[in-house]
Amino acid sequence: GDAYIELEAMKMIMALKSPEAGKVSHALSAGSIVSAGELLARLELKDPSKVKKILPFEGEFTMGAPVEQDIEVPRDELLSLLDGYCTEAKGPLIVERMFAGFANREA
């Protein structure tokens, strides 16, 4: 459960952790600038069968059904927030309102 890499992006620090024991080989040195998809480290796990391998998502993400009014406003606010604009609502509140809209939809 210890962090083997810490990434800093936009003044946020994200720790990457491993739930299993093993040997870490860092591919980059501290302070390196990284790009999306770049190898940061290799983990040689004592028992690889205990860890599920993560595969890249190769599909296409769509909202699916047409966006209804109760979801449209938080969706627009969330997209604005992700684009870097200030919104009146905080991020977690926007996500909560959006999921509440999904929960209220009829199957």
Side-chain angles (χ1 to χ4, degrees), residues 4 11 31 57 69 81:
Y4 63 93
K11 298 185 181 180
F57 178 71
Q69 182 61 33
L81 187 66

Side-chain angles (χ1 to χ4, degrees), residues 69-87:
Q69 182 61 33
D70 56 344
I71 300 171
E72 190 171 328
V73 172
R75 177 184 177 273
D76 291 343
E77 287 180 347
L78 182 60
L79 291 174
S80 294
L81 187 66
L82 292 172
D83 284 338
Y85 294 98
C86 291
T87 62

Side-chain angles (χ1 to χ4, degrees), residues 49-70:
S49 66
K50 290 185 176 181
V51 178
K52 183 177 179 182
K53 185 173 181 171
I54 297 174
L55 300 174
F57 178 71
E58 295 180 358
E60 183 177 323
F61 180 77
T62 60
M63 292 294 287
V67 177
E68 297 176 18
Q69 182 61 33
D70 56 344

Side-chain angles (χ1 to χ4, degrees), residues 16-45:
L16 302 181
K17 299 180 179 185
S18 174
E20 297 297 326
K23 179 182 174 185
V24 177
S25 301
H26 291 98
L28 301 171
S29 60
S32 296
I33 296 174
V34 297
S35 300
E38 193 166 357
L39 179 67
L40 305 175
R42 291 190 185 278
L43 295 172
E44 293 179 38
L45 299 172

